């Protein structure tokens, strides 16, 4: 089963048994960035100079990705000037995560459970239903980060986003960050992709850093 970068990031964030999101805020930014990068990889969007543009609005045939493409196209075309990547991530991180979780449920990878916290507040959890995809994903990450294997472009993209969002604990539970961060940074900065994709990765990393700093400062204040 082929899953998107956004779905992979969400799978890593969900606790297999309880279905609770671990590092939920970071995962949301990662999911939004992952889906945008998918559009870049599919030749539908460009990300450069801190700005995002729709290069080709033609549907890809993937319902989840096409939903993001439609939203992005309407958002970009509805502006009088070019749109900032950070503004798109801020706009999309909550809705995008909801749609990605819904896709995982539809694919049968997780199940949806509804509860009420304190008997009042509605809570949704997404425990694992089929662990084969996540198992393969974690094995692939371990191979390139812990064992030094040469990553392919998609795995490198995923590692770059996980590193940018600080999702080291979700990707490698129990492994000290100091052991994996240098290798993840090396992969993220490698020459594994064409110029346009490398530029998109750099722009997304910078945008994630910017929006997460603003989020932290807002919470503190």
């Amino acid at each position: 089963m082929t899953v998107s970068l956004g779905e992979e990031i969400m799978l890593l964030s969900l606790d297999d048994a309880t279905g609770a999101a671990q590092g939920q805020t970071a995962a949301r930014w990662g999911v939004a960035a992952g889906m945008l990068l998918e559009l870049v990889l599919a030749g539908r969007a460009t990300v450069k100079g801190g700005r995002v543009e729709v290069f080709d609005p033609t549907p890809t045939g993937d319902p989840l990705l096409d939903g993001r493409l439609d939203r992005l196209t309407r958002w970009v075309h509805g502006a009088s000037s070019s749109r900032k990547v950070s503004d798109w991530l801020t706009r999309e991180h909550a809705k995008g995560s909801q749609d990605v979780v819904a896709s995982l449920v539809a694919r049968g990878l997780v199940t949806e459970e509804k509860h009420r916290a304190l008997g009042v507040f509605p809570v949704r959890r997404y425990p694992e239903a089929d662990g084969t995809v996540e198992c393969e994903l974690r094995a692939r990450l371990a191979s390139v980060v812990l064992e030094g294997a040469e990553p392919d472009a998609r795995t490198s993209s995923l590692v770059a986003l996980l590193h940018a969002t600080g999702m080291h604990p979700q990707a490698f539970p129990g492994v000290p960050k100091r052991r994996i961060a240098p290798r993840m940074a090396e992969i993220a900065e490698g020459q594994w992709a064409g110029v346009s994709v490398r530029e998109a990765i750099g722009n997304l990393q910078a945008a994630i850093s910017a929006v997460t700093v603003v989020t932290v400062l807002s919470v503190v204040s």
Side-chain angles (χ1 to χ4, degrees):
M1 181 185 298
T2 301
V3 295
S4 67
L5 293 169
E7 288 172 305
E8 288 180 329
I9 291 171
M10 184 59 72
L11 279 175
L12 292 172
S13 76
L14 295 174
D15 183 272
D16 294 344
T18 68
Q22 311 294 318
Q24 184 176 37
T25 300
R28 285 180 174 180
W29 295 119
V31 166
M35 297 310 299
L36 180 53
L37 185 56
E38 283 284 3
L39 293 175
V40 174
L41 293 170
R44 299 305 193 272
T46 59
V47 178
K48 57 184 179 180
R51 305 282 172 168
V52 57
E53 298 286 348
V54 174
F55 178 74
D56 178 3
T58 306
T60 66
D62 180 292
L64 178 62
L65 194 57
D66 289 341
R68 305 271 71 69
L69 177 58
D70 178 65
R71 286 172 62 84
L72 179 63
T73 301
R74 288 187 282 111
W75 184 69
V76 168
H77 289 174
S80 57
S81 59
S82 59
R83 295 285 203 174
K84 292 183 179 180
V85 177
S86 56
D87 289 342
W88 171 252
L89 298 183
T90 300
R91 172 187 174 88
E92 187 68 5
H93 74 289
K95 170 63 175 170
S97 293
Q98 292 171 358
D99 290 349
V100 164
V101 168
S103 177
L104 293 176
V105 172
R107 288 171 175 266
L109 298 179
V110 301
T111 58
E112 183 180 64
E113 295 181 353
K114 299 179 181 180
H115 309 277
R116 286 195 177 274
L118 304 177
V120 178
F121 304 104
V123 176
R124 298 185 182 187
R125 295 286 185 263
Y126 300 92
E128 184 176 85
D130 179 352
T132 55
V133 171
E134 184 179 350
C135 183
E136 184 278 331
L137 167 61
R138 290 190 180 278
R140 179 157 44 93
L141 287 173
S143 175
V144 301
V145 175
L146 299 179
E147 300 167 17
E150 190 69 22
D152 58 25
R154 289 191 64 82
T155 303
S156 296
S157 299
L158 176 61
V159 169
L161 295 179
L162 292 171
H163 185 56
T165 53
M167 289 185 62
H168 308 84
Q170 290 77 39
F172 301 96
V175 180
K177 181 179 177 179
R178 64 180 180 276
R179 179 184 170 193
I180 55 178
R183 172 60 177 164
M184 294 177 77
E186 177 188 5
I187 292 172
E189 296 165 6
Q191 303 299 307
W192 45 267
V195 174
S196 61
V197 175
R198 287 206 308 273
E199 185 172 13
I201 286 285
N203 276 250
L204 286 168
Q205 289 174 317
I208 289 169
S209 296
V211 294
T212 51
V213 166
V214 169
T215 300
V216 170
L217 291 177
S218 299
V219 171
V220 171
S221 62

